């Protein structure tokens, strides 16, 4: 899923630009949006869903004939984007969230006191914007990947009818290693080189007999204890090939993909010399 943030100040035209981007991107795939609305409540306390929530429900789902709304405690922007990716969105447009690190289309000029990161392009406020270059810009953004989004892609493979099962592997940051507590790991990769190495692993694995599809995603940057590092999804005709391909894919990642890690522990920080 490609993600872009439309940011700016009040009355700069953010909602208008978002709706125009939705219309343009809908010709290229499934579009989701996120509206950051601080200090609002979707389920007031005098509604039935509000009463459920205030009684202690961690999640409340409200269903109508045409809509489904899920209300969750302690939400984050990442939660919202993960939900869109899990539900098959090809593009996500975030309105607001100018303090986030997301890639941004910014309307107007940032005010002097605001530190706004990752602005890709600045546009005039309330203007006649050209959609074609903006659509191209969004297509160029990195993928926002979740495990469920990879499983969806595998299920969409026309040859999935030949599969008897889908298996996944999720690597996470181990908190305790040799009796030392790890707080986070910072992963770095050679851009392009690592992606091509992962793509080659997937291609090689799919050459195996009865393997229908293989997808791999490895995250980079700072990943905290317990968080996900790598996803592997395999579809195969039979379980024997399925599980063996998961193991073989993981070993190939360790051997072939130029990714390095710096480990942060309660006893100090250090670079790990092996690649994964």
């Amino acid at each position: 899923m490609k993600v872009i943030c439309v940011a700016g100040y009040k009355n700069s035209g953010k909602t208008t630009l978002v709706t125009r981007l939705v219309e343009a991107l809908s010709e290229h795939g499934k579009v989701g949006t996120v509206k950051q609305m601080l200090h609002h409540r979707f389920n007031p306390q005098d509604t039935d869903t509000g009463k459920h929530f205030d009684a202690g429900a961690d999640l409340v789902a409200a269903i109508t004939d045409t809509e489904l709304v899920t209300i969750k405690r302690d939400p984050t922007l990442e939660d919202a984007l993960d939900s869109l990716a899990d539900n098959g969105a090809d593009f996500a447009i975030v309105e607001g969230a100018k303090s986030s690190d997301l890639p941004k289309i910014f309307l107007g000029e940032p005010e002097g006191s605001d530190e706004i990161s990752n602005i890709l392009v600045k546009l005039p406020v309330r203007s006649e914007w050209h959609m074609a270059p903006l659509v191209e810009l969004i297509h160029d953004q990195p993928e926002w990947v979740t495990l469920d989004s990879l499983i969806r892609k595998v299920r969409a493979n026309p040859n999935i009818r030949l599969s008897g099962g889908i298996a996944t592997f999720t690597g996470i940051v181990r908190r305790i290693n040799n009796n030392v507590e790890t707080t986070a790991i910072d992963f770095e990769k050679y851009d392009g080189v690592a992606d091509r190495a992962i793509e080659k692993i997937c291609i090689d694995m799919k050459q195996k007999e009865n393997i229908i599809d293989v997808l791999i995603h490895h995250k980079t940057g700072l990943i905290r204890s317990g968080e996900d590092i790598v996803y592997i999804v395999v579809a195969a005709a039979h379980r024997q090939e399925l599980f063996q391909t998961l193991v073989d894919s993981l070993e190939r990642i360790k051997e072939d993909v130029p990714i390095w890690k710096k480990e942060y522990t309660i006893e100090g920080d250090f670079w790990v010399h092996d690649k994964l």
Side-chain angles (χ1 to χ4, degrees), residues 46-81:
D46 59 345
T47 64
D48 290 343
T49 55
K51 292 173 183 177
H52 299 172
F53 201 65
D54 292 342
D58 291 306
L59 290 168
V60 175
I63 305 172
T64 72
D65 292 340
T66 57
E67 297 172 317
L68 166 65
V69 176
T70 302
I71 301 161
K72 177 182 180 295
R73 292 188 186 279
D74 303 319
T76 67
L77 181 55
E78 289 73 20
D79 290 337
L81 291 171

Side-chain angles (χ1 to χ4, degrees), residues 129-150:
W129 309 287
H130 297 292
M131 291 298 105
L134 297 180
V135 169
E136 183 177 351
L137 179 71
I138 295 168
H139 271 286
D140 289 340
Q141 299 312 301
E143 289 284 340
W144 186 286
V145 176
T146 65
L147 178 59
D148 280 355
S149 70
L150 294 181

Side-chain angles (χ1 to χ4, degrees), residues 44-182:
Q45 60 185 12
D46 59 345
T47 64
D48 290 343
T49 55
K51 292 173 183 177
H52 299 172
F53 201 65
D54 292 342
D58 291 306
L59 290 168
V60 175
I63 305 172
T64 72
D65 292 340
T66 57
E67 297 172 317
L68 166 65
V69 176
T70 302
I71 301 161
K72 177 182 180 295
R73 292 188 186 279
D74 303 319
T76 67
L77 181 55
E78 289 73 20
D79 290 337
L81 291 171
D82 284 349
S83 178
L84 294 183
D86 288 347
N87 281 281
D90 299 300
F91 306 95
I93 308 170
V94 178
E95 181 179 342
K98 64 178 180 289
S99 62
S100 73
D101 292 328
L102 294 175
K104 295 178 185 67
I105 299 170
F106 197 87
L107 296 176
E109 290 289 337
E111 296 177 357
S113 59
D114 282 343
E115 294 183 4
I116 301 174
S117 65
N118 208 3
I119 296 177
L120 303 181
V121 62
K122 297 176 185 176
L123 298 178
V125 301
R126 298 185 300 277
S127 181
E128 289 297 324
W129 309 287
H130 297 292
M131 291 298 105
L134 297 180
V135 169
E136 183 177 351
L137 179 71
I138 295 168
H139 271 286
D140 289 340
Q141 299 312 301
E143 289 284 340
W144 186 286
V145 176
T146 65
L147 178 59
D148 280 355
S149 70
L150 294 181
I151 294 172
R152 276 182 171 270
K153 287 184 179 181
V154 168
R155 285 185 176 275
N157 187 320
N159 291 324
I160 196 66
R161 66 188 186 280
L162 304 174
S163 176
I166 297 172
T168 71
F169 171 83
T170 301
I172 66 174
V173 175
R174 184 188 296 114
R175 181 174 179 180
I176 304 297
N177 188 19
N178 295 325
N179 295 320
V180 176
E181 182 175 346
T182 296

Side-chain angles (χ1 to χ4, degrees), residues 196-227:
R196 287 192 295 272
I198 288 175
E199 182 179 3
K200 186 176 188 307
I201 294 170
C202 293
I203 292 171
D204 291 347
M205 292 296 130
K206 285 188 284 188
Q207 302 308 308
K208 292 186 173 187
E209 187 176 4
N210 293 322
I211 300 302
I212 310 305
D213 207 350
V214 179
L215 292 178
I216 299 170
H217 176 72
H218 196 297
K219 295 184 179 182
T220 56
L222 190 70
I223 302 176
R224 302 191 182 282
S225 172
E227 294 180 343

